[in-house]
Amino acid sequence: MDKIFETPITYLKGVGPHKADLLTKEFGIRTYADLLQHFPFRYVDKSKVYKISQVNTDASYFLLKGKITDLKVVGEKRAKYISATLVDESGSIQLLWFRGLQWIKKRFEPGKEYLIFGKPSVYKNHFNLVHPEVEDVKPESPETLSNPLEGIYHSTEKLKAAGMGSRGIARLMRTLLSTIQSHITENLPDYMMQCHGLISHKQALISIHFPKKPEEIKPAIYRLKFEELFFLQMELLLQKKILQNKTEGHIFEKVGPLFNTFFHNYLPFELTEAQKRVTREIRADLRSGKQMNRLLQGDVGSGKTLVALLGILIAIDNGFQTTFMAPTEILATQHYNTLKKMLDGMPIEIELLTGSTRKPKRKQIHEKLLSGQLQILVGTHALIEDTVKFKNLGFAVIDEQHRFGVAQRAKLWKKNSIPPHVLVMTATPIPRTLAMTLYGNLDVSIIDELPPGRKPVKTIHFFESKRLRVLGFIREQIKIGRQVYVVYPLIKESEKMDLKNLMDGYENMLRDFPEPQYMVSVVHGRMKPEDKAYEMKRFADGITNILVATTVIEVGVDVPNASIMVIENAERFGLSQLHQLRGRVGRGADQLWCILMSGNKLSNEGRKRLEIMVSTNDGFEIAEADLKLRGPGDMQGTQQSGMLDFHLANLAKDGDLIAKTRKIATDILHDDPRLQKEENQPLNREIRRRFKDKTLWARIS
Ligand code: ADP
Ligand code: MG
């Protein structure tokens, strides 16, 4: 594309330095190209003429046709205004002007018909139109205005004050389009436009801003949305390729004695097909000579940790060190214990490093890391601190990706001259379409199968009024030896209130389940770590029957015997959080229960969420529903990405188009990896232009 699009907006006729400054501050509009992408968010249709008797306040605007009578200047000096009456065969309505009086006085000829467009307001029980638009009736199309569709643009109070309300922006847009129109070139190949029924880039830009007919709008939006998503996918795929080509990785040639011993003698069960598939994918990466950057998705309990351990063993077999990073101390400790138990009896050194690791221990760990003696270091982000140095780190597992920033991942990379292979695990299923976009530059593996024999959790929703029944049910379950989680939401802004809720709930529980027959524990974020650990342990050891807790147990300890999870104020949790919590009920029982308690009154969205939870156990289905309900902005992990700032596309609604454009981009790059073919030259040019890091392209070609 032409340089003209990079022209600073201040050079556009009608935009001075002041307006340019405002456009930049309010909307980030700096160049012609930026302004061009400020699309209308809706259109006012002025194509239908109404009778004056039909005017009401239901619709915001009306187009009327009639003659002007009784035009007069009212009032004195500065308070002067013009009043006129518009008459058609159905009735009459008052028109008012407070500005431009000289011009209005001469605007109308007696006895002639005019088209009048305006927003009705009510004054003393009568409708009137203030500052309506006026147009002569054209003999060739007596029922329409010359521009019957008006695009409405987002504006702000500051922009409005500077004459850049929606109308003002539209005026600038007209100037802009006439300035640059001849420079707009096509950026998609002919064959793509034909195959996918797309109008031209230029036509789309003209129609989206100034459609002549309502039917022009849809194809224009589709074309521009298509282009937006298609080029994003192209960029992501190219980035991924560059990453792979660029970054040298350790080659783990062999599957050695540790892996084999573990696999044949220690693994107490068969791998699921999904685990086998993903393990193969990881092994292929580890042999490839390129650094692995793989996202491993799978529901809670699908066996990700085990797959990660297999990767770790391969790395150790090849003489490398490994690390396993978790977002919280509780979780790190649990991973450490799990791994230690699974590896019990094998000649492998494993240690835990967290914020609360004592100095002497810390020192010992540092030494063992430097000498290469320590093979697995489990920990929190304490282990990416600069003081933690490895002899040769080769493989890093990161659990619960969304809690770690990209910067932290980059720190891990620097722990060895050749960066370690990185396996990122998340139990928050991300909808396919979102994953394609957020993690479009990572490889993705999915475990979509639970180990055999797993009982699905039965989920029931109860209103507060049914609490007695729920208590009775809990009593029955305790009688047959089960344990119960009771979880309260804890949301930062209202922490105090939430804590009170929790403590009230705890006290109620103590009353309903009195000692010595029952034992109740409580755990929340305000407690000291050692008190927390103590209470958790009493529950894990089966001493207490009920654990009342905040979401600290969300990624917390597995207690196989805890078969019921009661979630209080369930309507206040997000879907993915509810799903994560539900995944925490133990595996030891024949039947697992999740009870969602809610207030008697529910918002529409709250009710939908609970319905979805009751209807499915499938994490991906829930994630899709979550995306639709809340939009991508609120999804975990998306906030800091900046990748979701689309002009037109909407991740929640355009899933199909995302998948489609991903496929098209994949096919094109498969067929013509460097975009050298004649027919792909428009793509080549557009990609070059879009890549902000200009050297990136040089690395592909
Ligand atoms: P995730 O990390 O995905 O939540 P884990 O790896 O912690 O899941 O596995 C959950 C539980 O299932 C663990 O107790 C684990 O030992 C067990 N498990 C994992 N894979 C299998 C399998 N193939 N068959 C039976 N049990 C399995
Ligand atoms: Mg896990």
Side-chain angles (χ1 to χ4, degrees), residues 269-272 275 299-306 451-452 454 587:
F269 38 68
E270 273 274 309
L271 293 185
T272 63
Q275 283 172 317
D299 243 328
V300 184
S302 60
K304 297 183 294 297
T305 311
L306 186 73
R454 220 29 88 67
R587 313 266 139 72

Side-chain angles (χ1 to χ4, degrees), residues 22 26 153-166 169:
L22 278 174
E26 300 291 287
Y153 294 91
H154 282 298
S155 182
T156 66
E157 286 311 316
K158 283 188 186 147
L159 287 175
K160 276 180 199 153
M164 290 183 293
S166 177
I169 291 175

Side-chain angles (χ1 to χ4, degrees), residues 77-132:
K77 287 186 188 157
R78 310 199 91 220
K80 269 198 284 200
Y81 64 93
I82 286 181
S83 162
T85 307
L86 180 74
V87 184
D88 70 6
E89 65 276 17
S90 76
S92 68
I93 187 169
Q94 190 186 24
L95 312 180
L96 291 163
W97 286 270
F98 300 94
R99 279 177 274 122
L101 305 190
Q102 292 309 321
W103 186 77
I104 294 295
K105 258 197 281 188
K106 293 182 221 138
R107 177 68 181 83
F108 301 102
E109 285 172 38
K112 204 172 145 187
E113 276 196 313
Y114 294 91
L115 286 166
I116 301 287
F117 180 78
K119 187 179 180 163
S121 44
V122 184
Y123 182 69
K124 292 193 175 157
N125 280 331
H126 288 289
F127 288 114
N128 61 38
L129 302 178
V130 178
H131 284 265

Side-chain angles (χ1 to χ4, degrees), residues 98-286:
F98 300 94
R99 279 177 274 122
L101 305 190
Q102 292 309 321
W103 186 77
I104 294 295
K105 258 197 281 188
K106 293 182 221 138
R107 177 68 181 83
F108 301 102
E109 285 172 38
K112 204 172 145 187
E113 276 196 313
Y114 294 91
L115 286 166
I116 301 287
F117 180 78
K119 187 179 180 163
S121 44
V122 184
Y123 182 69
K124 292 193 175 157
N125 280 331
H126 288 289
F127 288 114
N128 61 38
L129 302 178
V130 178
H131 284 265
E133 284 171 50
V134 181
E135 217 172 278
D136 292 339
V137 175
K138 287 179 293 293
E140 69 278 12
S141 56
E143 299 281 285
T144 51
L145 295 169
S146 33
N147 290 301
L149 283 165
E150 182 186 340
I152 306 296
Y153 294 91
H154 282 298
S155 182
T156 66
E157 286 311 316
K158 283 188 186 147
L159 287 175
K160 276 180 199 153
M164 290 183 293
S166 177
R167 290 260 167 86
I169 291 175
R171 266 195 302 278
L172 295 181
M173 207 61 82
R174 260 193 207 288
T175 314
L176 177 66
L177 269 174
S178 64
T179 313
I180 60 167
Q181 210 170 100
S182 59
H183 299 266
I184 301 177
T185 49
E186 186 48 59
N187 57 16
L188 292 179
D190 279 345
Y191 72 89
M192 269 182 81
M193 301 203 321
Q194 270 165 29
C195 183
H196 304 293
L198 301 169
I199 64 170
S200 76
H201 182 65
K202 183 173 182 168
Q203 188 55 54
L205 285 172
I206 295 170
S207 295
I208 198 168
H209 288 294
F210 301 107
K212 293 220 159 50
K213 303 190 285 276
E215 307 84 75
E216 278 184 15
I217 297 171
K218 240 186 170 175
I221 292 178
Y222 183 76
R223 153 74 210 218
L224 294 170
K225 211 190 261 185
F226 183 101
E227 168 183 325
E228 184 165 43
L229 291 171
F230 171 75
F231 283 112
L232 173 65
Q233 293 303 337
M234 283 295 261
E235 284 177 42
L236 290 169
L237 289 167
L238 287 167
Q239 273 171 16
K240 183 159 121 184
K241 210 159 85 178
I242 292 162
L243 217 62
Q244 282 167 348
N245 286 345
K246 194 198 68 174
T247 316
E248 193 189 345
H250 302 290
I251 299 179
F252 299 165
E253 292 278 1
K254 58 177 189 233
V255 169
L258 291 174
F259 182 97
N260 283 323
T261 307
F262 178 79
F263 199 82
H264 296 295
N265 304 339
Y266 284 74
L267 196 60
F269 38 68
E270 273 274 309
L271 293 185
T272 63
E273 284 309 311
Q275 283 172 317
K276 285 184 197 161
R277 188 187 65 236
V278 170
T279 306
R280 276 198 301 272
E281 287 167 357
I282 293 172
R283 276 190 54 192
D285 287 352
L286 299 181

Side-chain angles (χ1 to χ4, degrees), residues 299-306 324 331 334-335 399-400 425 427 558 584:
D299 243 328
V300 184
S302 60
K304 297 183 294 297
T305 311
L306 186 73
F324 197 124
L331 194 58
Q334 178 174 3
H335 278 315
D399 197 11
E400 300 293 338
M425 307 200 301
D558 283 327
R584 285 290 131 202

Side-chain angles (χ1 to χ4, degrees), residues 453-516:
R454 220 29 88 67
K455 297 277 179 323
V457 182
K458 225 177 233 171
T459 303
I460 313 177
H461 168 214
F462 283 103
F463 288 105
E464 188 54 42
S465 49
K466 295 279 158 46
R467 182 169 290 275
L468 280 180
R469 264 182 68 189
V470 174
L471 294 178
F473 178 68
I474 293 177
R475 246 171 239 122
E476 274 168 35
Q477 289 286 309
I478 293 177
K479 204 182 258 165
I480 60 168
R482 300 296 169 216
Q483 287 168 282
V484 185
Y485 289 110
V486 180
V487 184
Y488 281 83
L490 201 146
I491 295 156
K492 276 213 182 69
E493 302 91 71
S494 53
E495 216 167 324
K496 266 202 186 128
M497 264 305 289
D498 287 338
L499 197 60
K500 183 176 177 314
N501 259 344
L502 169 94
M503 292 318 284
D504 289 350
Y506 172 54
E507 269 156 34
N508 288 338
M509 276 305 195
L510 284 177
R511 208 169 316 127
D512 290 318
F513 297 90
E515 290 180 22

